[in-house]
Amino acid sequence: MPDLFTFIDAVRREKPRDVLDIHRTVSPKYETAAILTKLEQASRFPIVFFHHVGQSAFPVVSNVCGTQFRLALALGCSIRELRGRYAQACEQPIQPELKREGPVQEQVFIGKDVNLEILPQLVYHEDDAPRPYITAAIIVARDPETGKSNLSFHRLMMLNENTTTIFMARGKHLDHIYRKYESAGESMPISAFIGVHPACSLGALYTGTADTEEYDIVGGLQRSPLPVVKCVTNDLHVPAEAQFVLEGFVSLGKQVEEGPFGEFTGYSTGTARCPIFTVNALTCRYNAVFQDIVGGLMEHLLLPIPGMEYRLLTLARAAVPATTTLKVSVPLTVFVAMKKQDDSQPERVIKALLDSDIYVKQVVVVDASVDVSDLRQVATAIALHTRADKDIFIKRRCLGTELDPSCESPEGCTTKTGIDATLPLNGMRPVNKNRVPQQLLDSIDLSELLQAD
Ligand SMILES: Cc1cc2nc3c(=O)[nH]c(=O)nc-3n(C[C@H](O)[C@H](O)[C@H](O)COP(=O)(O)O)c2cc1C
């Protein structure tokens, strides 16, 4: 079955320079993050395999999903087909297959034998809390009412050998599930798995309705049922081929200071109050590799995009069928293109999207002739088409994210903006885009012209 190892092997075969092995011992404190930052500053995005990190017996692999090429390779398609492939997986989900055993339970540490300090103790940025973080943990929890399980990434700050904090953004599904346990007066059982094939990471980042089983999306993405095993100390299921699993529960009531932590925005925004995750069991493979994602680098930005774009495009098309495409390329911002049929349509899409997700803070709508993946074209459309008094929509008191450095409320309450950057259909003056006759354009043979020159 596809797992982290088979994926890295596939990358080594397809593009050997896309995997960088570092055999010397590196420090877990800042050095792994510094190496990845330095590579990214030089526009290099390899998977980095750190074979020796500090005192830990476990190697670290970082930046697994750091390029579109690798995401496409993971899903068996081209970069151009990525969005369609994601949509197909969401529309044709495949249920996981429960196995009796799996490599992730080759080694089992329970109760007093749990020691999170055997894991690489990674510290990232100078202004971060001086504690190690686990950044690539996918949390599985079960909704106590519907019985559906949910997957999502959550940063875990290690407190001691068997506890971490867990950061759960307000309004997202894990927070929603936690509140249900809270109102029933029960702690929330969770398991955190680390080290998976990118299809699993992309499936966990599906952002649809709470009753969708994200394991089924993972199955759809890899075109086969995901093998899962039951956890050793709770009833949750985890990928049989993962590298590590931490099993335990999030307690009610007590919250501790967490952070600061450098996030996907490129900023850290102070400390938060977070509940505690107590780990009852740690299981792993014999040859486990610890997966890592450096906050704010390209991988962190790229990974959520397929899931977000799929859902936002569905919502935009439901609001205005004339929506042609959509792009999430900078944090908290969505660019939408449409062949508008009347001047009210951009505002309808803006309204539908601003409320749809805490991570949507700005929506810019352009005409279909504008390439939404070209920031220069989008900025030009804003400059030339937008009339600030008529085409900019301000929405106050929205639920955004506290990770937004401009957010003034600790709960993430913020003001959102929509910009209609489409050309008005019935402007005061006739406006036409510059055009030379297409027939002439087609008839010009550029190579002949340049040769003659
Ligand atoms: C690397 C990475 C780390 C993340 N860390 C957190 C986190 O600490 N807390 C959080 O609430 N969301 C975090 N997210 C975002 C959620 O995983 C994401 O919004 C997810 O889709 C939410 O799932 P849901 O739709 O089931 O609510 C992270 C995403 C990535 C890619």
Side-chain angles (χ1 to χ4, degrees):
M1 280 318 279
D3 67 3
L4 181 62
F5 290 137
T6 57
F7 179 68
I8 295 173
D9 286 346
V11 177
R12 286 188 195 276
R13 269 195 314 276
E14 292 291 320
K15 245 193 194 183
R17 281 164 57 92
D18 250 20
V19 185
L20 177 64
D21 287 286
I22 298 189
H23 291 279
R24 71 174 168 86
T25 302
V26 295
S27 168
K29 191 167 182 186
Y30 307 134
E31 195 179 4
T32 54
I35 289 171
L36 283 142
T37 304
K38 185 85 177 178
L39 283 162
E40 194 156 312
Q41 285 171 352
S43 300
R44 297 284 303 274
F45 305 91
I47 296 176
V48 183
F49 205 117
F50 297 101
H51 290 262
H52 303 285
V53 179
Q55 307 292 313
S56 177
F58 301 109
V60 171
V61 67
S62 197
N63 210 27
V64 172
C65 301
T67 64
Q68 293 222 58
F69 168 81
R70 293 203 286 274
L71 293 184
L73 180 69
L75 302 191
C77 64
S78 66
I79 294 175
R80 282 168 62 99
E81 289 163 344
L82 251 179
R83 184 183 286 173
R85 189 63 205 90
Y86 200 95
Q88 186 192 33
C90 296
E91 281 141 29
Q92 295 164 14
I94 300 175
Q95 287 184 0
E97 186 182 344
L98 184 60
K99 300 276 190 190
R100 289 162 69 90
E101 53 190 33
V104 74
Q105 293 176 342
E106 282 167 352
Q107 300 195 70
V108 177
F109 305 93
I110 299 185
K112 286 196 170 49
D113 292 331
V114 171
N115 182 8
L116 299 179
E117 285 159 17
I118 64 171
L119 301 176
Q121 305 287 293
L122 297 169
V123 182
Y124 295 83
H125 309 103
E126 282 177 286
D127 297 318
D128 287 357
R131 287 185 180 278
Y133 268 86
I134 301 174
T135 57
I138 299 177
I139 310 299
V140 53
R142 201 168 277 143
D143 186 313
E145 286 169 11
T146 65
K148 303 271 184 183
S149 53
N150 184 72
L151 302 182
S152 44
F153 280 85
H154 293 267
R155 69 191 201 206
L156 307 175
M157 184 180 81
M158 293 192 215
L159 294 172
N160 57 31
E161 65 281 354
N162 71 337
T163 60
T164 76
T165 57
I166 177 163
F167 178 77
M168 296 183 280
R170 276 185 62 159
K172 296 304 250 178
H173 293 159
L174 191 62
D175 169 60
H176 172 69
I177 293 172
Y178 181 60
R179 284 162 193 259
K180 290 190 183 184
Y181 280 101
E182 205 173 29
S183 49
E186 288 168 25
S187 56
M188 173 171 71
I190 63 166
S191 292
F193 54 90
I194 304 157
V196 285
H197 187 274
C200 200
S201 306
L202 288 168
L205 290 160
Y206 171 83
T207 58
T209 55
D211 60 357
T212 307
E213 293 264 1
E214 273 130 338
Y215 277 135
D216 301 359
I217 308 290
V218 176
L221 286 168
Q222 59 178 38
R223 296 190 173 96
S224 59
L226 177 76
V228 292
V229 286
K230 192 179 99 47
C231 286
V232 180
T233 59
N234 64 35
D235 286 338
L236 295 164
H237 295 167
V238 287
E241 314 266 347
Q243 302 289 317
F244 295 89
V245 174
L246 316 180
E247 305 177 4
F249 60 92
V250 182
S251 20
L252 304 182
K254 186 167 178 209
Q255 299 208 334
V256 296
E257 190 165 283
E258 189 263 3
F261 185 71
E263 265 293 344
F264 73 97
T265 54
Y267 291 87
S268 63
T269 52
T271 56
R273 304 286 301 171
C274 287
I276 294 173
F277 169 29
T278 303
V279 182
N280 295 326
L282 188 165
T283 77
C284 64
R285 293 174 171 234
Y286 286 128
N287 58 348
V289 172
F290 188 78
Q291 191 176 354
D292 166 60
I293 295 173
V294 180
L297 294 189
M298 189 56 85
E299 176 177 34
H300 201 179
L301 298 176
L302 271 186
L303 254 178
I305 288 177
M308 271 188 92
E309 287 185 351
Y310 168 71
R311 169 147 169 274
L312 295 176
L313 187 58
T314 309
L315 291 174
R317 286 194 171 139
V320 174
T323 301
T324 52
T325 189
L326 170 153
K327 189 90 200 138
V328 176
S329 49
V330 290
L332 311 182
T333 306
V334 188
F335 301 125
V336 187
M338 64 167 62
K339 281 190 180 143
K340 76 172 175 182
Q341 294 143 327
D342 69 68
D343 283 327
S344 73
Q345 287 180 333
E347 188 180 347
R348 290 223 293 281
V349 162
I350 286 169
K351 284 185 172 152
L353 297 190
L354 284 183
D355 273 339
S356 68
D357 198 301
I358 61 169
Y359 298 116
V360 176
K361 185 187 174 200
Q362 302 189 82
V363 177
V364 180
V365 184
V366 295
D367 292 307
S369 56
V370 174
D371 178 357
V372 283
S373 56
D374 182 342
L375 294 183
R376 191 166 181 274
Q377 288 194 33
V378 174
T380 304
I382 296 172
L384 300 181
H385 301 171
T386 303
R387 303 154 303 177
D389 59 336
K390 298 186 180 71
D391 301 327
I392 295 186
F393 305 92
I394 308 278
K395 196 162 190 307
R396 293 173 213 283
R397 291 186 292 282
C398 302
L399 187 60
T401 165
E402 68 220 78
L403 304 180
D404 169 3
S406 71
C407 181
E408 287 171 302
S409 114
E411 295 81 33
C413 191
T414 192
T415 301
K416 297 189 173 185
T417 316
I419 301 177
D420 176 359
T422 58
L423 197 59
L425 286 177
N426 301 309
M428 305 277 282
R429 295 173 298 141
V431 179
N432 289 309
K433 216 163 187 262
N434 299 352
R435 285 187 303 147
V436 291
Q438 188 63 42
Q439 214 182 350
L440 269 179
L441 270 182
D442 294 342
S443 70
I444 296 170
D445 181 342
L446 213 51
S447 52
E448 190 187 63
L449 199 70
L450 293 171
Q451 240 169 19
D453 191 35

